[in-house]
């Protein structure tokens, strides 16, 4: 049967936008302050899940809700299960919007609103792919479960609850990233190194570090860093700092405060999965301070950052650098650095690592490198990889090339993590196209309607092709 999927998608545009409007109007940010037994993540995520299920039921599908945490829309029957995993929750809207983030606004054929790009727009486009398949009378040889999680942006509570009760789908995709096909995701692990052994250095010194503060999240490159230090000669330190700013790619200022001289370094923020896209204000501040003689924890804290972490996103100085042929480099982000004269120091490092190594190797490197420090592991998600020769990858890439016209498209590996990793043969697939700006998690999030319609056609054809 030949189906013109692009043409077909057009006929669904009005219905799609109506449903998208309903989904966007629900503020489905995880809301622990209003969590109850009935709504463990707060009412918003559950309401968005209910909306999805209501849409599925309306269109004649079987649906199921798992305790307001996850649910599915099901089509077909068979021993194997194809999973299409989306999420109904959204990031907090934040500041800086020109329109109401929870009202779908269409301007110049572009849809604005929280979730239009991550993940309500793409998720609903994939659902419409399923609806088109059914309306075209195509019966799948396997069971298709369109799975809806409600906590992707935090702890994956919803989809993990589903997986506690049901087996994982055998293969499938998650429309929660970008096109063409992402067939590998690096491992992701976080370590905390603390320095709390010798608060008071025994030697006399002309410099005392009172506090140091950089970074908000383990997966972001810190833009700002602040230190307060006591010294006999503030003027000299200020002059040194001016010279430092002339030499290095950071800006900043210094000022005398009640607690001592405050130094502020400004770098550039970036996503922690590629620290080279940013400039880490924290490690530069440590570099500046390293020209003075500190003692005890302050000394260990600064030396660790400067000698083992600074300007070394691939972990060479820790001896843990590794490049895998298909998954690429290990990357390291130094997301949070704190020191306080009473409590000591803390350095939070987040690693994205390829196959061929594990958190134990990283632990070894950090432990050897952190003189005077204690290293502990926070969490870990192993690497995920589906071979490029797998029929799932092959079929999806072929559909993408055919309908997008991007004939050179190839599958690739990223440092981020999506629900795709929950399926042994799962890949991330759309819906951000290479020609469209990524506005996920940002103010004024958008997705062009033509992109959404093209994604819908791709998802419809993808489901039909996986069935062949
Ligand atoms: Zn997402
Ligand atoms: Zn997201």
């Amino acid at each position: 049967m030949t189906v013109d999927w692009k043409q077909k998608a057009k006929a669904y545009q009005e219905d799609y936008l109506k449903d998208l409007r309903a989904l966007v109007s629900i503020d489905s940010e995880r809301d622990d302050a209003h969590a109850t037994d009935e709504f463990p993540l707060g009412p918003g995520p559950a309401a968005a899940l209910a909306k999805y299920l209501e849409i599925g039921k309306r269109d004649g599908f079987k649906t199921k809700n798992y305790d307001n945490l996850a649910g599915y829309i099901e089509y077909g029957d068979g021993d194997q299960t194809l999973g299409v995993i989306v999420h109904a929750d959204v990031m907090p809207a934040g500041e800086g919007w020109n329109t109401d983030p929870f009202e779908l606004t269409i301007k110049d054929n572009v849809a604005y609103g929280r979730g239009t790009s991550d993940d309500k727009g793409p998720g609903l486009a994939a659902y419409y792919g399923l609806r088109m398949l059914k309306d075209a009378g195509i019966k799948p040889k396997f069971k298709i479960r369109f799975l809806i999680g409600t906590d992707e942006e935090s702890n994956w509570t919803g989809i993990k609850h589903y997986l506690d009760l049901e087996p994982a789908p055998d293969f499938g995709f998650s429309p929660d990233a970008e096109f063409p096909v992402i067939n590998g995701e690096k491992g992701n692990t976080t370590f905390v190194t603390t320095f709390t052994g010798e608060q008071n250095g025994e030697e006399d010194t002309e410099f005392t570090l009172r506090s140091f503060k950089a970074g908000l999240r383990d997966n972001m490159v810190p833009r700002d860093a602040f230190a307060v230090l006591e010294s006999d000669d503030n003027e000299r330190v200020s002059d040194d700092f001016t010279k430092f700013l002339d030499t290095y790619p950071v800006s900043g200022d210094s000022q005398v405060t009640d607690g001592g001289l405050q130094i502020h370094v400004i770098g550039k923020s970036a996503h922690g999965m590629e620290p080279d896209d940013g400039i880490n204000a924290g490690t530069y501040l440590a570099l500046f301070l390293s020209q003075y003689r500190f003692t005890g924890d302050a000394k260990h804290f600064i030396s660790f950052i400067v000698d083992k972490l600074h300007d070394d996103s691939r972990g060479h100085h820790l001896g843990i650098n590794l490049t895998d042929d298909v998954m690429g480099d290990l990357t390291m982000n130094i997301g949070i650095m704190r020191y306080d004269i009473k409590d000591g120091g803390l350095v939070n490092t987040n690693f994205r690592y390829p196959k061929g190594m594990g958190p134990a190797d990283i632990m070894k490197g950090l432990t050897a490198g952190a003189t005077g420090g204690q290293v502990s592991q926070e969490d870990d998600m192993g690497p995920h990889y589906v071979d490029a020769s797998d029929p799932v990858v092959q079929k999806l890439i072929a559909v993408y090339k055919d309908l997008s016209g991007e004939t050179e498209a190839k599958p690739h590996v990223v440092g981020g993590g999506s629900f795709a990793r929950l399926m042994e043969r799962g890949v991330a697939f759309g819906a951000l196209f290479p020609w469209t700006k990524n506005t996920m998690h940002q103010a004024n999030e958008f997705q062009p309607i033509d992109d959404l319609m093209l994604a819908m056609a791709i998802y419809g054809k993808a489901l039909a092709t996986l069935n062949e």
Side-chain angles (χ1 to χ4, degrees):
M1 178 171 9
T2 330
V3 181
D4 182 342
W5 291 96
K6 278 200 219 176
Q7 191 57 39
K8 224 174 161 36
K10 277 258 168 286
Y12 289 86
Q13 179 166 325
E14 216 170 295
D15 281 8
Y16 169 83
L17 289 174
K18 217 173 116 216
D19 287 342
L20 183 59
R21 181 174 298 279
L23 282 171
V24 169
S25 72
I26 301 165
D27 177 355
S28 52
E29 176 193 345
R30 177 179 170 147
D31 182 8
D32 290 326
H34 295 97
T36 60
D37 285 349
E38 194 184 358
F39 303 116
L41 303 166
L49 167 65
K51 182 41 103 180
Y52 258 120
L53 298 180
E54 181 194 310
I55 291 168
K57 212 167 176 181
R58 174 197 72 196
D59 297 339
F61 291 105
K62 183 182 165 194
T63 65
K64 184 166 177 179
N65 184 335
Y66 292 80
D67 306 307
N68 287 325
L69 284 167
Y72 67 66
I73 297 170
E74 187 179 278
Y75 182 48
D77 225 341
D79 298 336
Q80 295 258 306
T81 301
L82 160 66
V84 178
I85 317 186
V86 307
H87 66 89
D89 57 311
V90 291
M91 287 291 279
E95 302 295 317
W97 285 79
N98 299 326
T99 61
D100 181 346
F102 300 109
E103 187 185 326
L104 186 75
T105 307
I106 295 170
K107 220 186 129 212
D108 301 329
N109 214 33
V110 172
Y112 292 86
R114 180 50 96 220
T116 48
S117 173
D118 178 17
D119 180 40
K120 290 171 174 172
L124 190 67
Y127 167 75
Y128 267 80
L130 181 65
R131 183 172 156 188
M132 287 197 290
L133 191 79
K134 178 166 159 286
D135 290 354
I138 300 172
K139 285 251 152 60
K141 305 186 280 219
F142 36 71
K143 187 187 282 178
I144 301 177
R145 276 202 177 165
F146 180 88
L147 285 164
I148 305 133
T150 53
D151 185 32
E152 197 277 337
E153 301 294 7
S154 309
N155 298 336
W156 295 20
T157 312
I159 204 74
K160 282 179 183 163
H161 180 63
Y162 173 85
L163 291 171
D164 283 343
L165 303 168
E166 302 279 356
D170 300 286
F171 64 104
F173 60 87
S174 178
D176 186 28
E178 60 204 58
F179 286 122
V181 172
I182 295 167
N183 65 323
E185 299 174 354
K186 291 180 194 173
N188 185 337
T189 185
T190 300
F191 288 84
V192 172
T193 306
T194 51
F195 298 87
T196 54
E198 313 159 40
Q199 274 97 344
N200 300 304
E202 277 155 28
E203 305 156 68
D204 273 333
T205 164
E206 343 160 41
F207 300 100
T208 306
L209 182 62
R210 297 217 65 94
S211 67
F212 187 111
K213 220 183 263 178
L216 307 166
R217 297 260 177 104
D218 61 358
N219 64 358
M220 274 173 76
V221 177
R223 174 188 178 270
D224 294 278
F226 300 88
V228 176
L229 86 152
E230 275 171 32
S231 94
D232 298 341
D233 192 350
N234 284 341
E235 215 160 298
R236 177 191 145 197
V237 177
S238 290
D239 285 350
D240 291 345
F241 188 55
T242 306
K243 276 185 220 131
F244 182 83
L245 294 180
D246 286 342
T247 314
Y248 294 99
V250 288
S251 55
D253 51 77
S254 62
Q255 61 181 45
V256 179
T257 67
D258 288 349
L261 182 68
Q262 179 181 272
I263 314 271
H264 174 201
V265 172
I266 304 169
K268 183 173 168 242
S269 180
H271 196 294
M273 68 186 180
E274 184 39 278
D276 290 352
D277 289 345
I279 298 169
N280 194 317
T283 67
Y284 272 101
L285 176 55
L287 179 68
F288 170 69
L289 295 174
S290 68
Q291 64 187 293
Y292 308 115
R293 202 166 62 90
F294 296 100
T295 57
D297 287 333
K299 178 183 167 191
H300 291 141
F301 170 76
I302 290 168
S303 312
F304 176 56
I305 296 171
V306 173
D307 300 340
K308 301 295 173 186
L309 309 178
H310 174 65
D311 199 19
D312 185 23
S313 68
R314 267 59 187 168
H316 288 278
H317 296 152
L318 290 171
I320 55 170
N321 57 298
L322 181 75
T323 303
D324 177 78
D325 281 353
V326 290
M327 300 197 83
D329 294 344
L330 165 129
T331 62
M332 168 179 72
N333 180 51
I334 306 102
I336 301 170
M337 288 152 269
R338 301 232 183 286
Y339 176 87
D340 179 277
I341 194 160
K342 283 201 281 310
D343 304 328
L346 175 156
V347 179
N348 180 312
T349 40
N350 175 253
F351 298 84
R352 311 291 168 119
Y353 60 96
K355 60 188 169 61
M357 68 181 302
D361 303 303
I362 297 171
M363 177 67 132
K364 235 166 116 185
L366 283 171
T367 306
T371 306
Q374 281 287 328
V375 185
S376 65
Q377 187 180 353
E378 293 272 284
D379 49 35
D380 177 52
M381 257 196 308
H384 173 71
Y385 185 69
V386 182
D387 200 275
S389 65
D390 188 291
V392 172
V393 179
Q394 292 285 317
K395 286 180 175 179
L396 294 184
I397 200 89
V399 169
Y400 175 77
K401 281 184 189 176
D402 180 27
L403 293 188
S404 72
E406 300 266 294
T407 51
E408 299 300 308
K410 282 187 181 64
H412 65 284
V413 171
V414 295
S418 79
F419 281 164
R421 61 166 58 239
L422 299 170
M423 300 174 277
E424 201 180 312
R425 295 169 61 214
V427 298
F429 188 48
L432 187 72
F433 287 94
W435 53 79
T436 297
K437 189 178 161 211
N438 185 346
T439 54
M440 298 182 197
H441 298 195
Q442 297 174 24
N444 303 310
E445 179 180 345
F446 71 83
Q447 193 88 317
I449 291 175
D450 288 346
D451 280 11
L452 292 165
M453 289 301 116
L454 180 55
M456 188 194 293
I458 289 173
Y459 291 132
K461 183 165 181 170
L463 292 172
T465 306
L466 287 169
N467 195 41
E468 281 163 8

